Amino acid sequence: MSRIDELNAVWHLLNRQMQDELNQEKYAHVRYLSTTEISVLQLLYDCPDIILKEICTKLNLPKSTLTSVINRLVRKGYAERVPDNNDKRAY
């Protein structure tokens, strides 16, 4: 098995175990959140005034991906878009 195959197998195993854990009843309130959504929520919790551009940088996400993640979090009621007081173009 090559190192890439091994890394891929470990990654899928960890992801499967994490999903199994998240599917337990004690995590019902976050059951349908992706790992990216959880990472964004953690950043929003730690830095409530963070703007989308900073989230992209910290998580190394393309803007289009972050926009989709934010849209899902807003739709699910976990986040809301608030205009930045310093830059009216930023949220």
Side-chain angles (χ1 to χ4, degrees):
M1 181 180 283
S2 75
R3 287 183 174 178
I4 298 296
D5 291 335
E6 187 176 337
L7 178 61
N8 189 39
V10 169
W11 173 254
H12 281 69
L13 175 66
L14 290 172
N15 195 26
R16 217 172 312 124
Q17 288 175 345
M18 185 185 65
Q19 287 303 321
D20 289 346
E21 182 70 20
L22 284 175
N23 285 333
Q24 293 183 29
E25 195 58 38
K26 64 183 176 181
Y27 299 115
H29 57 288
V30 295
R31 179 178 293 162
Y32 300 106
L33 294 175
S34 70
T35 54
T36 304
E37 290 169 337
I38 292 169
S39 296
V40 169
L41 285 174
Q42 182 67 50
L43 271 176
L44 292 172
Y45 179 79
D46 290 342
C47 310
D49 295 330
I50 195 167
I51 61 173
L52 297 179
K53 184 177 180 180
E54 293 170 336
I55 296 172
C56 285
T57 301
K58 287 184 182 272
L59 297 180
N60 196 27
L61 293 173
K63 185 178 177 190
S64 59
T65 300
L66 182 61
T67 299
S68 296
V69 169
I70 295 294
N71 287 343
R72 288 193 307 268
L73 290 173
V74 168
R75 195 171 43 251
K76 293 174 182 180
Y78 286 97
E80 63 179 303
R81 281 192 173 88
V82 178
D84 183 5
N85 290 330
N86 300 321
D87 182 356
K88 298 299 181 195
R89 298 168 296 165
Y91 287 87

Short mmCIF file of all heavy atoms in Angstrom, two decimals, residues 23-53:
data_model
loop_
_atom_site.label_atom_id
_atom_site.label_comp_id
_atom_site.label_asym_id
_atom_site.label_seq_id
_atom_site.Cartn_x
_atom_site.Cartn_y
_atom_site.Cartn_z
N ASN A 23 -23.58 10.94 15.00
CA ASN A 23 -24.93 10.43 14.80
C ASN A 23 -25.58 9.92 16.09
O ASN A 23 -26.75 9.55 16.08
CB ASN A 23 -24.94 9.34 13.73
CG ASN A 23 -24.80 9.91 12.35
OD1 ASN A 23 -25.16 11.05 12.09
ND2 ASN A 23 -24.25 9.12 11.45
N GLN A 24 -24.84 9.92 17.18
CA GLN A 24 -25.42 9.49 18.45
C GLN A 24 -26.41 10.54 18.94
O GLN A 24 -26.30 11.72 18.65
CB GLN A 24 -24.32 9.28 19.50
CG GLN A 24 -23.41 8.12 19.17
CD GLN A 24 -22.39 7.90 20.25
OE1 GLN A 24 -22.63 8.19 21.42
NE2 GLN A 24 -21.24 7.37 19.88
N GLU A 25 -27.38 10.11 19.70
CA GLU A 25 -28.45 10.99 20.18
C GLU A 25 -27.93 12.17 20.99
O GLU A 25 -28.50 13.26 20.94
CB GLU A 25 -29.46 10.17 21.01
CG GLU A 25 -30.77 10.88 21.23
CD GLU A 25 -31.48 11.26 19.94
OE1 GLU A 25 -31.43 10.49 18.97
OE2 GLU A 25 -32.07 12.36 19.91
N LYS A 26 -26.84 11.99 21.71
CA LYS A 26 -26.33 13.08 22.54
C LYS A 26 -25.85 14.26 21.71
O LYS A 26 -25.68 15.36 22.23
CB LYS A 26 -25.22 12.60 23.48
CG LYS A 26 -23.97 12.11 22.78
CD LYS A 26 -22.96 11.59 23.79
CE LYS A 26 -21.74 11.01 23.12
NZ LYS A 26 -20.78 10.50 24.08
N TYR A 27 -25.64 14.07 20.42
CA TYR A 27 -25.23 15.15 19.52
C TYR A 27 -26.33 15.51 18.53
O TYR A 27 -26.06 16.01 17.44
CB TYR A 27 -23.96 14.76 18.76
CG TYR A 27 -22.78 14.48 19.64
CD1 TYR A 27 -22.23 13.21 19.70
CD2 TYR A 27 -22.22 15.48 20.43
CE1 TYR A 27 -21.14 12.93 20.51
CE2 TYR A 27 -21.14 15.21 21.25
CZ TYR A 27 -20.61 13.94 21.28
OH TYR A 27 -19.53 13.67 22.08
N ALA A 28 -27.57 15.30 18.89
CA ALA A 28 -28.69 15.52 17.97
C ALA A 28 -28.71 16.93 17.42
O ALA A 28 -29.08 17.15 16.25
CB ALA A 28 -30.01 15.19 18.66
N HIS A 29 -28.33 17.92 18.22
CA HIS A 29 -28.39 19.31 17.77
C HIS A 29 -27.32 19.66 16.73
O HIS A 29 -27.43 20.68 16.05
CB HIS A 29 -28.30 20.26 18.96
CG HIS A 29 -27.08 20.07 19.80
ND1 HIS A 29 -26.89 18.98 20.61
CD2 HIS A 29 -25.96 20.83 19.90
CE1 HIS A 29 -25.71 19.09 21.20
NE2 HIS A 29 -25.14 20.19 20.79
N VAL A 30 -26.31 18.85 16.58
CA VAL A 30 -25.28 19.10 15.56
C VAL A 30 -25.15 17.95 14.57
O VAL A 30 -24.24 17.94 13.74
CB VAL A 30 -23.89 19.40 16.19
CG1 VAL A 30 -23.91 20.68 16.99
CG2 VAL A 30 -23.40 18.23 17.00
N ARG A 31 -26.06 17.05 14.61
CA ARG A 31 -25.98 15.83 13.80
C ARG A 31 -25.83 16.11 12.31
O ARG A 31 -25.11 15.42 11.61
CB ARG A 31 -27.22 14.98 14.04
CG ARG A 31 -27.24 13.71 13.22
CD ARG A 31 -28.45 12.88 13.52
NE ARG A 31 -28.33 12.41 14.89
CZ ARG A 31 -29.35 11.95 15.60
NH1 ARG A 31 -30.55 11.92 15.08
NH2 ARG A 31 -29.17 11.54 16.83
N TYR A 32 -26.49 17.12 11.82
CA TYR A 32 -26.51 17.36 10.37
C TYR A 32 -25.54 18.47 9.94
O TYR A 32 -25.70 19.03 8.88
CB TYR A 32 -27.94 17.66 9.92
CG TYR A 32 -28.85 16.50 10.23
CD1 TYR A 32 -29.76 16.57 11.27
CD2 TYR A 32 -28.75 15.31 9.52
CE1 TYR A 32 -30.57 15.48 11.58
CE2 TYR A 32 -29.55 14.23 9.81
CZ TYR A 32 -30.46 14.33 10.85
OH TYR A 32 -31.26 13.25 11.15
N LEU A 33 -24.54 18.75 10.76
CA LEU A 33 -23.53 19.72 10.40
C LEU A 33 -22.30 19.01 9.84
O LEU A 33 -21.88 17.98 10.36
CB LEU A 33 -23.12 20.56 11.62
CG LEU A 33 -24.19 21.46 12.22
CD1 LEU A 33 -23.67 22.13 13.48
CD2 LEU A 33 -24.64 22.49 11.21
N SER A 34 -21.72 19.60 8.81
CA SER A 34 -20.48 19.04 8.26
C SER A 34 -19.30 19.50 9.11
O SER A 34 -19.42 20.41 9.92
CB SER A 34 -20.30 19.52 6.82
OG SER A 34 -20.00 20.90 6.79
N THR A 35 -18.16 18.88 8.89
CA THR A 35 -16.97 19.28 9.63
C THR A 35 -16.59 20.73 9.29
O THR A 35 -16.13 21.47 10.15
CB THR A 35 -15.79 18.35 9.34
OG1 THR A 35 -15.58 18.28 7.93
CG2 THR A 35 -16.04 16.97 9.89
N THR A 36 -16.80 21.14 8.04
CA THR A 36 -16.50 22.52 7.66
C THR A 36 -17.45 23.48 8.36
O THR A 36 -17.03 24.53 8.86
CB THR A 36 -16.60 22.69 6.13
OG1 THR A 36 -15.74 21.75 5.50
CG2 THR A 36 -16.23 24.09 5.70
N GLU A 37 -18.72 23.12 8.44
CA GLU A 37 -19.70 23.96 9.14
C GLU A 37 -19.32 24.09 10.62
O GLU A 37 -19.38 25.19 11.19
CB GLU A 37 -21.10 23.39 9.00
CG GLU A 37 -21.66 23.50 7.61
CD GLU A 37 -22.94 22.70 7.40
OE1 GLU A 37 -23.19 21.73 8.14
OE2 GLU A 37 -23.68 23.05 6.48
N ILE A 38 -18.89 23.00 11.23
CA ILE A 38 -18.49 23.03 12.64
C ILE A 38 -17.24 23.91 12.80
O ILE A 38 -17.16 24.70 13.75
CB ILE A 38 -18.26 21.61 13.17
CG1 ILE A 38 -19.59 20.86 13.23
CG2 ILE A 38 -17.59 21.64 14.54
CD1 ILE A 38 -19.46 19.37 13.50
N SER A 39 -16.31 23.83 11.88
CA SER A 39 -15.10 24.66 11.94
C SER A 39 -15.45 26.14 11.83
O SER A 39 -14.90 26.97 12.55
CB SER A 39 -14.12 24.28 10.83
OG SER A 39 -13.66 22.97 11.00
N VAL A 40 -16.36 26.47 10.94
CA VAL A 40 -16.79 27.86 10.78
C VAL A 40 -17.48 28.33 12.05
O VAL A 40 -17.23 29.44 12.55
CB VAL A 40 -17.69 28.03 9.54
CG1 VAL A 40 -18.35 29.40 9.52
CG2 VAL A 40 -16.89 27.81 8.27
N LEU A 41 -18.36 27.50 12.61
CA LEU A 41 -19.04 27.88 13.85
C LEU A 41 -18.05 28.11 14.99
O LEU A 41 -18.22 29.05 15.78
CB LEU A 41 -20.05 26.80 14.25
CG LEU A 41 -21.34 26.76 13.44
CD1 LEU A 41 -22.18 25.57 13.85
CD2 LEU A 41 -22.12 28.05 13.59
N GLN A 42 -17.01 27.30 15.06
CA GLN A 42 -16.00 27.48 16.10
C GLN A 42 -15.30 28.82 15.94
O GLN A 42 -15.09 29.54 16.91
CB GLN A 42 -14.97 26.35 16.06
CG GLN A 42 -13.91 26.45 17.14
CD GLN A 42 -14.48 26.25 18.54
OE1 GLN A 42 -15.18 25.30 18.78
NE2 GLN A 42 -14.18 27.17 19.45
N LEU A 43 -14.97 29.17 14.70
CA LEU A 43 -14.34 30.47 14.45
C LEU A 43 -15.29 31.61 14.81
O LEU A 43 -14.88 32.61 15.40
CB LEU A 43 -13.94 30.59 12.98
CG LEU A 43 -12.57 30.10 12.61
CD1 LEU A 43 -12.36 30.21 11.10
CD2 LEU A 43 -11.48 30.88 13.32
N LEU A 44 -16.55 31.48 14.45
CA LEU A 44 -17.53 32.52 14.77
C LEU A 44 -17.70 32.66 16.28
O LEU A 44 -17.86 33.77 16.80
CB LEU A 44 -18.88 32.21 14.13
CG LEU A 44 -18.93 32.29 12.60
CD1 LEU A 44 -20.28 31.77 12.09
CD2 LEU A 44 -18.68 33.70 12.12
N TYR A 45 -17.63 31.56 16.99
CA TYR A 45 -17.74 31.59 18.45
C TYR A 45 -16.52 32.25 19.07
O TYR A 45 -16.63 33.09 19.96
CB TYR A 45 -17.91 30.16 18.97
CG TYR A 45 -18.00 30.09 20.47
CD1 TYR A 45 -19.19 30.40 21.13
CD2 TYR A 45 -16.89 29.72 21.24
CE1 TYR A 45 -19.27 30.34 22.51
CE2 TYR A 45 -16.97 29.66 22.62
CZ TYR A 45 -18.16 29.97 23.25
OH TYR A 45 -18.24 29.92 24.62
N ASP A 46 -15.34 31.87 18.58
CA ASP A 46 -14.09 32.41 19.13
C ASP A 46 -13.88 33.88 18.76
O ASP A 46 -13.29 34.63 19.53
CB ASP A 46 -12.89 31.60 18.64
CG ASP A 46 -12.83 30.21 19.23
OD1 ASP A 46 -13.49 29.96 20.26
OD2 ASP A 46 -12.13 29.35 18.65
N CYS A 47 -14.32 34.26 17.56
CA CYS A 47 -14.10 35.62 17.05
C CYS A 47 -15.41 36.15 16.47
O CYS A 47 -15.60 36.12 15.24
CB CYS A 47 -13.03 35.62 15.96
SG CYS A 47 -11.52 34.77 16.37
N PRO A 48 -16.34 36.61 17.30
CA PRO A 48 -17.65 37.03 16.81
C PRO A 48 -17.61 38.15 15.76
O PRO A 48 -18.53 38.27 14.96
CB PRO A 48 -18.40 37.48 18.05
CG PRO A 48 -17.53 37.23 19.21
CD PRO A 48 -16.21 36.75 18.73
N ASP A 49 -16.56 38.94 15.74
CA ASP A 49 -16.46 40.05 14.78
C ASP A 49 -15.69 39.69 13.52
O ASP A 49 -15.38 40.57 12.71
CB ASP A 49 -15.81 41.26 15.45
CG ASP A 49 -16.66 41.82 16.58
OD1 ASP A 49 -17.90 41.70 16.51
OD2 ASP A 49 -16.09 42.36 17.54
N ILE A 50 -15.39 38.42 13.33
CA ILE A 50 -14.61 37.98 12.17
C ILE A 50 -15.42 38.20 10.90
O ILE A 50 -16.64 38.06 10.90
CB ILE A 50 -14.18 36.50 12.32
CG1 ILE A 50 -13.08 36.16 11.34
CG2 ILE A 50 -15.38 35.56 12.19
CD1 ILE A 50 -12.40 34.83 11.63
N ILE A 51 -14.73 38.58 9.82
CA ILE A 51 -15.41 38.76 8.54
C ILE A 51 -15.14 37.53 7.66
O ILE A 51 -14.22 36.76 7.91
CB ILE A 51 -14.99 40.06 7.84
CG1 ILE A 51 -13.50 40.08 7.53
CG2 ILE A 51 -15.39 41.28 8.67
CD1 ILE A 51 -13.05 41.26 6.69
N LEU A 52 -15.96 37.40 6.62
CA LEU A 52 -15.89 36.21 5.77
C LEU A 52 -14.50 36.03 5.16
O LEU A 52 -14.00 34.90 5.08
CB LEU A 52 -16.95 36.28 4.68
CG LEU A 52 -18.39 36.28 5.17
CD1 LEU A 52 -19.35 36.38 4.00
CD2 LEU A 52 -18.69 35.04 5.99
N LYS A 53 -13.88 37.11 4.75
CA LYS A 53 -12.54 37.01 4.14
C LYS A 53 -11.54 36.39 5.12
O LYS A 53 -10.69 35.59 4.74
CB LYS A 53 -12.08 38.40 3.69
CG LYS A 53 -10.76 38.39 2.98
CD LYS A 53 -10.40 39.78 2.50
CE LYS A 53 -9.06 39.75 1.79
NZ LYS A 53 -8.67 41.08 1.31
#
